[in-house]
Amino acid sequence: MAPIQQSVTPPINVSPIELPKQIALGEYLFYRISQANPKLRTIFGIPGDFNVDLLEHVYSPIITNKQIKLINPCNELNGAYAADGYSRAIGGLSVFISTYGVGELSAINGIAGAFSEYSPVLHIVGTTSIKDRLKAETGVYNIHHLVPNIDALKAPNHDVYKEMVQNISVIQESLDYDVDANLKKIDRVLKKIVQESRPGYLFIPCDVSDFKVLTNQLFLNPFNADTKYTKLALAIEVLEDVTDHILDKLYQAETPSIFSDCLTSRFGYQKQLDSFINKIPKTVKLFSANLARNLDETQSNYVGVYNGRGSSDVHVKEEFESCDFIMALGFFDNEMNSGGHTANFNKAETTVVVHPDYIKVNHQTYHIKQNDGERLFTLGELLESLTLRLNPSKVSALPSNIYQFQPQPQCNTTDLPPNYIPQGKLIDYFNTSLQPNDLVILETMSFVFALPDLKFPTNSQLITSPFYGSIGYAVPAAFGATVAVNDLGSTRRIIVVQGDGAAQMTAQELSSYVRYKDILPNMPQIFLVNNDGYSIERKIRGPTRSYNDINGQWKWAELLGVFGGVKGKMYDSWVLKNTDEFETFFNDKPKPSSSKLQFYELIAGKFDVPQRVDNMMCQK
């Protein structure tokens, strides 16, 4: 299940102000963003001379009255990751602003990750002025940040970078001198990002953001991305047809199951999922996808994580593959979410695959997403329809003893290495220490393969990005998620697991916790697994090759101090070198204060990985 926030009330109370009849386009944009995601309180951005005029409008009284602030990550790549983490933790649209060329290209990797993992990030790029673009029409006019034409006698292409992002974003719009058209473009971009839960681009020339627009346009056209397509006769007919088709198959099944995948949550339909699951009889087995973890795993009919050969255990795998009805909700098909493509749905008599764009009932496909890109209805509307029309008494599945996965100790306490902490010990620790409502953020590292071994408490949430798999994601994404949790006024715990090799990619973002400590009363617990290199790569090839080595001499526990943090005040840090130290520390340590960042450097084995790494990646 998605986390239940203790509070969604912003920490600062302000009185509304009367808006003037006209405001700057930049003010309009940020105000519209706040309408697209009313929970948003932070915009991430890196300044450059092509976007600073736009950034100035974040400081407008109109925008600050909306309690929106600007946070500067350490670089553009980190900024894109931070916006991704913020989006997932806040449950909606996030924003990152970069400058032209050098900034947007540094961010493109993070935006591609957000596209791959379905995170609704708006990337705003401050671009060359319209005046400079007009000069390019008269001849060669090269300016900084814009690569020259390969033909030195031809003018540069000012849209060269825009062309690069067409396949990693769902929409790209460029503003110009047409003010009315600009407002429509802004709405098109925001709505498309929200509807698709994927990144979109808004390119704003540096001489446009000060243009004046009528304020009443913000209210004459209320922002609404969730158009109710079910008002259309065709949509109503298809929705009712597919709902009845699915429920008829469910009623007939003897061993039905629900397989909950992550796209329901990532598209913002967790409440609808919860309502449907709560109405389903307990004779229907529940399974979670590896990357989802959006079910209440304490329910009596929850079996475990089905991930093909990487399932929680062999009994979970057998239970799933013996079901005669499988409904996969929010299906996200990729190798990291299917046990290396070993998931098998083919043994069921009826398989229902529900994706935001289509629904398949065995070999019949309902194309929900139309040729114009609009959907007949949303995944959330389908869940609402299923919940409304479901008659639990018609489910014919008989009560039975449903197998439930219970984590088993990963480490034999009588045979532990004396000089490092096995990752299995960290798995065991989390299975006894995770609490309801925890936010768990995992790096793309060997530990992420242990996900099926973890039992998530009620209302906990998982943020990870192993499908796109860009290492270094977790440090800045965790910072963005921490900002989001604090923006919501939530006291939920934030748990981060990070590998040393990945962390060296983006470690400077730890300094942002120091810089912004005064607005982050709820700080994370960070577990840095120091195994002296790229251990997941060592298991694939070259265990002793230099390409899998890093500088293992970093003093991780001292890094926050180097960045200006005061130990004992802003943060606490420890180095734990073996299992005895680990157990003694966590058995004796009082509950940490969330007001201080807790940093644990765990000395791990250079070649030690969770057993599942061998099971999933190293079998031939």
Side-chain angles (χ1 to χ4, degrees), residues 183-201:
L183 303 190
K184 293 177 182 178
K185 290 176 180 179
I186 289 170
D187 271 14
R188 278 201 299 270
V189 169
L190 292 175
K191 288 183 179 182
K192 192 70 171 179
I193 292 170
V194 173
Q195 288 174 349
E196 300 297 325
S197 192
R198 275 178 155 168
Y201 274 80

Side-chain angles (χ1 to χ4, degrees), residues 17 20 56 76 134 146 193 208 257 289 311 339 341 362 390 461 481 503:
I17 62 174
E56 280 293 318
E76 287 86 359
L134 293 174
L146 175 58
I193 292 170
V208 165
S257 67
S311 301
H341 297 300
N362 289 337
L390 171 66
Q461 181 185 3

Side-chain angles (χ1 to χ4, degrees), residues 316-360:
V316 172
K317 182 176 183 294
E318 291 172 352
E319 287 277 323
F320 182 87
E321 294 177 0
S322 66
C323 292
D324 63 356
F325 172 94
I326 297 169
M327 179 157 60
L329 293 173
F331 187 58
F332 187 29
D333 186 18
N334 65 74
E335 64 178 322
M336 297 300 293
N337 208 29
S338 61
H341 297 300
T342 61
N344 187 354
F345 289 48
N346 297 327
K347 295 182 180 180
E349 181 179 333
T350 299
T351 300
V352 179
V353 175
V354 179
H355 184 276
D357 296 343
Y358 65 87
I359 299 166
K360 291 182 68 175

